[in-house]
Amino acid sequence: MAADAAMVSLFKAELELCKVGPGQTMAVLSEGEVRADYAQAFLTAGQQLGATTFHINLPPKLQFGGFAGNMGKTSLAGNRPAIEALKGADIVIDLMFLLFSEEQLEITNSGTRMLLVLEPVEVLTRMFPNAELRRRVEVGASLLKNGKVMRITSPHGTDVTYRLGAYPVMTEYGFTDSPGRWDHWPSGFMFTGAHDDGVNGQVVMGPGDIICAFRRYVESPVKFTIEKGYVTNVEGTGLEASLIRNYMKSFNDKRAYAISHIGWGLNDRADWHHMAVADPQKEIGMDALAYYGNVLFSTGPNSELGGTNDTPCHLDMPLRGCTLTLDGELIVKDGEVVPKELRAPGR
Ligand code: FE2
């Protein structure tokens, strides 16, 4: 199969940001026939940049878990020769979604960097990263790293505090050029986790806020009561509250109610309306996660941050119009990013 020229040129620009070139080995990891066109285009792009390239293609999983469930259980599990080959590369292009798996951790812990690529070309192009986005995300990360108490409020009634400092800060700016570092193209946000018992208050989702796992915009308010790091009550008379209650309960696991990562979005080219038109088979919905000035509230696992909770019940819930402070300093006010060094050009 000949690779599409426009796609090759787009992927080449991305691989250049990832410093793929002569002396580097790039592995492409795919599953079944999914994104076979991306795999070919990445191999061609890597080759044109002078890298040594290879492709590992795994058989598809027997049961499809989707993005909302069975996270972390991949068809790479137990395939020792494939894992070792990927550890031997400088960079792995993950087209199959290894996130939250033990295999991903083993590969990145060996020093191999990894780039996840799932979204359609239109999204990859529109939210294409650059050094300026990286700079702003890294500034955000240093603010998060020094922060002790994060407080989030909103006109819908959110008022919650996160006691920070127990977990590392992760950055996602859409490319990766340093050993062992994972990223997802496209992105544009940073996050951390609170102390396991360090989240208290309430989060109220209002109309237009997004429940990523269900690909839904909230229509009626959903109120989460949070005590010592766990959701203790989900109130709301609308369908969304009922869906969330049912979903969390279905895992029959108290860890499903834990509070997961927290942070805010910095990608000014992300569109809030995109989730309404996104193809569920082809994309996660990075627009909602990276949206400029959002607050990304989430529940479930913290294994990504080095914690012990690896529940597959994960809800990403981007909120609009919030105010977020770190130790009293305004970072986001009513959905607008405040510190000058964090603001996108022209914002
Ligand atoms: Fe998440």
Side-chain angles (χ1 to χ4, degrees):
M1 178 169 68
D4 175 88
M7 199 186 279
V8 171
S9 130
L10 177 69
F11 289 4
K12 230 167 118 176
E14 173 69 16
L15 292 179
E16 280 174 330
L17 286 171
C18 295
K19 297 210 170 86
V20 171
Q24 290 269 303
T25 301
M26 180 191 83
V28 175
L29 175 66
S30 70
E31 188 179 65
E33 291 176 10
V34 181
R35 300 183 190 86
D37 51 345
Y38 283 23
Q40 288 308 313
F42 266 114
L43 290 168
T44 305
Q47 197 178 34
Q48 287 182 6
L49 290 169
T52 301
T53 64
F54 66 95
H55 183 192
I56 290 187
N57 181 244
L58 298 171
K61 262 190 297 195
L62 293 176
Q63 281 183 322
F64 179 66
F67 292 136
N70 294 334
M71 271 195 171
K73 309 286 175 256
T74 77
S75 54
L76 186 60
N79 192 333
R80 195 36 53 190
I83 295 169
E84 293 303 328
L86 295 168
K87 283 162 71 178
D90 294 296
I91 181 167
V92 171
I93 307 297
D94 172 17
L95 303 178
M96 62 172 272
F97 203 37
L98 287 184
L99 190 57
F100 301 118
S101 68
E102 284 172 27
E103 295 72 42
Q104 169 165 326
L105 274 181
E106 183 183 342
I107 293 164
T108 53
N109 283 344
S110 79
T112 299
R113 61 194 191 275
M114 190 179 289
L115 183 73
L116 176 65
V117 186
L118 302 171
E119 266 66 25
V121 167
E122 177 271 316
V123 176
L124 297 175
T125 306
R126 177 166 46 77
M127 291 171 66
F128 194 81
N130 55 41
E132 197 273 333
L133 178 63
R134 175 183 183 166
R135 182 194 65 75
R136 289 190 292 113
V137 169
E138 288 180 340
V139 170
S142 67
L143 291 172
L144 261 184
K145 204 172 166 185
N146 295 323
K148 291 184 177 61
V149 177
M150 179 191 283
R151 182 173 179 212
I152 303 159
T153 56
S154 83
H156 298 302
T158 293
D159 192 348
V160 64
T161 56
Y162 284 67
R163 196 158 47 83
L164 306 179
Y167 291 104
V169 176
M170 311 278 285
T171 55
E172 288 189 31
Y173 44 80
F175 59 97
T176 180
D177 66 7
S178 50
R181 185 176 176 279
W182 178 91
D183 209 322
H184 183 182
W185 173 28
S187 296
F189 57 99
M190 59 284 131
F191 57 90
T192 188
H195 284 267
D196 291 351
D197 62 352
V199 189
N200 288 285
Q202 60 183 42
V203 170
V204 184
M205 300 185 80
D209 289 339
I210 298 174
I211 308 163
C212 289
F214 306 152
R215 296 173 174 272
R216 285 188 72 95
Y217 292 85
V218 166
E219 290 182 21
S220 342
V222 182
K223 178 179 162 188
F224 295 86
T225 303
I226 301 163
E227 295 169 77
K228 294 184 178 167
Y230 282 84
V231 173
T232 53
N233 201 9
V234 181
E235 290 168 78
T237 52
L239 176 59
E240 294 84 10
S242 152
L243 278 172
I244 290 171
R245 282 192 293 265
N246 277 279
Y247 181 69
M248 290 176 124
K249 196 175 168 202
S250 72
F251 288 82
N252 197 23
D253 180 356
K254 132 179 186 319
R255 302 175 314 154
Y257 294 88
I259 300 301
S260 184
H261 55 81
I262 188 73
W264 66 91
L266 286 174
N267 193 321
D268 53 314
R269 284 178 289 148
D271 288 331
W272 196 259
H273 64 261
H274 184 77
M275 188 65 94
V277 295
D279 181 341
Q281 296 301 317
K282 289 187 180 159
E283 55 187 305
I284 289 183
M286 294 307 289
D287 284 87
L289 300 182
Y291 185 75
Y292 189 78
N294 80 4
V295 166
L296 179 52
F297 167 64
S298 72
T299 58
N302 63 6
S303 47
E304 189 187 6
L305 290 159
T308 54
N309 186 345
D310 64 352
T311 172
C313 179
H314 184 43
L315 289 171
D316 283 322
M317 292 171 280
L319 314 171
R320 280 192 309 183
C322 292
T323 293
L324 182 151
T325 61
L326 280 172
D327 302 323
E329 187 193 345
L330 260 182
I331 306 295
V332 179
K333 184 172 184 346
D334 300 329
E336 274 300 322
V337 178
V338 176
K340 192 170 181 293
E341 65 273 22
L342 278 185
R343 294 211 298 265
R347 296 292 289 255

